[in-house]
């Protein structure tokens, strides 16, 4: 059945069973190449939306039933339908009718009547149930309790605003390839194409409405890339100069590596552990007409791939929980476990220590994550500096804490710039 609601329910089931949303979406597009764009868009909206508000929807569903639902397909169909009833403009009776129709196609003869009863009951008691949901933090903020507690601990003043931003729609922002065109000129091309956009600090262009990249003027010619404004800070923080040897140690898919090459005539090595993801770096470099050396290797174990010559600049955009970009990947909130943070922290410490040995005296290393948790950010860098007398943390004047919080302009990122003594 190619009904968006049923397709989104199936995807939700796969994610709740432990799979990544992007992967299950790509699988669906491959299996159903003929899906009309309207249906694809609707499936995407519904699956992202149901995951964005999963714990709120789940709370409401629990309140509407007397016994646990043992059929996962029925449960997911109800969660997606509740999402539509609360957050979409589709008329309620149409949502219920389609859900009942989808339930008829399931291998459970009781499903249609059950789905009909639960959804109609919701429509009757909606206001009271929503008020009840607001009294329980995971249902109020649509995050796991441990995540809320962590943010409250790390950001006593900002945690609620962060949770709210995490549940908003992310902006679509472009990085202009200044080797080819200036941001003002590309803004004019966007206007000619009737795409509304505005320039953010640093020349990033934020579109009023997201579009597919094939609608962007001369995207295939490499004039622009899609990249969050927060991610666009890395290249300028690196303080690049022509002729420098630069290592991007966790480079795939190559957004920041490409920006480095667009910014200065440096000799760039782009390393990544994941060979398949490294192919995307090659594709991005080819589209943007940039040249760098690509190596598949482990940043934590440089010996097999390092040529022994120190680097002037190193970007360590280390693997992390991605807690700063959950509005782009709402599945992360439900797939992560609290214990993952300590594991990420161990990897981050190991990679940082290994890369430090490759940095030239007087060189600079930029440590970066797209996380908000101190355990992966400030704690790592503070401990590192305390145990490495040759490391000095430089002040980033426009971002003294190093931490960018998610906002209308950018995602959540962390940057720390370290200099090695001569
Ligand atoms: C946050 S992403 C990097 C994003 C990239 N810098 C960009 O701007 O497009 C982290 C990357 O680190 C890679 N990675 C994870 N562990 C690694 C390791 N030990 N050595 C090298 N790369 C690693 C992952 O495959 C992933 O591509």
């Amino acid at each position: 059945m190619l009904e968006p609601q049923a397709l989104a329910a199936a995807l939700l089931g796969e994610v709740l069973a432990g799979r990544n949303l992007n992967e299950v979406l790509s699988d669906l597009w491959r299996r159903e190449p003929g899906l009309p764009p309207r249906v694809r868009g609707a499936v995407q909206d519904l699956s992202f939306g149901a995951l964005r508000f999963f714990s709120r929807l789940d709370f409401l569903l629990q309140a509407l039933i007397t016994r646990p639902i043992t059929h996962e397909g029925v449960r997911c169909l109800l969660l997606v339908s509740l999402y539509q009833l609360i957050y979409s403009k589709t008329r309620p009776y149409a949502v219920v009718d389609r859900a009942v129709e989808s339930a008829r196609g399931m291998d459970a003869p009781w499903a249609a009547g059950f789905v009909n009863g639960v959804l109609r009951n919701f429509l009757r008691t909606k206001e009271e149930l929503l008020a009840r949901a607001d009294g329980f933090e995971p249902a109020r903020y649509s995050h796991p309790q441990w995540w809320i507690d962590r943010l409250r601990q790390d950001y006593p003043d900002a945690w609620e605003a962060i949770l709210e931003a995490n549940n908003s729609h992310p902006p679509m922002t472009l990085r202009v390839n200044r080797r080819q065109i200036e941001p003002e000129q590309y803004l004019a091309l966007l206007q000619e194409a009737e795409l509304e956009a505005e320039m953010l600090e640093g020349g990033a262009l934020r579109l009023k409405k997201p579009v597919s990249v094939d609608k962007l003027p001369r995207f295939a010619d490499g004039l622009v890339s899609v990249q969050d404004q927060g991610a666009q800070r890395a290249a300028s923080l690196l303080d690049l100069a022509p002729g420098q040897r630069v290592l991007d140690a966790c480079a795939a898919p190559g957004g920041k590596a490409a920006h480095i090459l667009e910014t200065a005539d440096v000799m760039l090595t782009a390393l990544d552990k994941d060979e398949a993801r490294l192919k995307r770096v090659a594709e991005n470099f080819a589209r943007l007409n940039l040249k760098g050396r690509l190596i598949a290797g482990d940043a934590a174990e440089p010996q097999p791939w390092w040529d022994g010559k120190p680097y002037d600049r190193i970007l360590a955009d280390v693997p992390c929980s991605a807690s700063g970009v959950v509005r782009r990947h709402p599945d992360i909130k439900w797939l992560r476990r609290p214990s993952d943070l300590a594991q990420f922290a161990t990897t981050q410490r190991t990679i940082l220590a290994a890369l430090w040995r490759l940095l030239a005296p007087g060189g600079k290393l930029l440590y970066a994550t797209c996380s908000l948790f101190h355990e992966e950010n400030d704690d790592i860098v503070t401990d590192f500096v305390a145990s490495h007398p040759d490391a000095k943390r430089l002040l980033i004047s426009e971002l003294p804490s190093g931490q960018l919080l998610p906002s209308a302009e950018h995602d959540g990122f962390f940057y720390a710039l370290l200099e090695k003594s001569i």
Side-chain angles (χ1 to χ4, degrees), residues 50 76 85 95 163 170 202-203 225 235 248 253 258 286 294 297 311 326 344 356 361 363 403 418 422:
C76 290
L85 290 176
V95 173
L163 292 168
S225 302
D248 182 346
L294 305 190
Y311 296 98
V326 285
F344 278 121
W356 190 249
Q403 187 72 60
L418 303 176
I422 297 177

Side-chain angles (χ1 to χ4, degrees), residues 2 7 11 14 19-36 40 43-44 276 280:
L2 301 181
L7 289 171
L11 297 187
E14 289 195 58
R19 289 194 68 202
N20 163 303
L21 177 59
N22 280 343
E23 261 172 43
V24 296
L25 273 171
S26 310
D27 282 355
L28 175 64
W29 307 152
R30 249 195 313 274
R31 257 193 339 265
E32 301 284 353
L35 278 185
R40 275 174 79 128
V43 172
Q44 210 154 324
R280 295 183 52 201

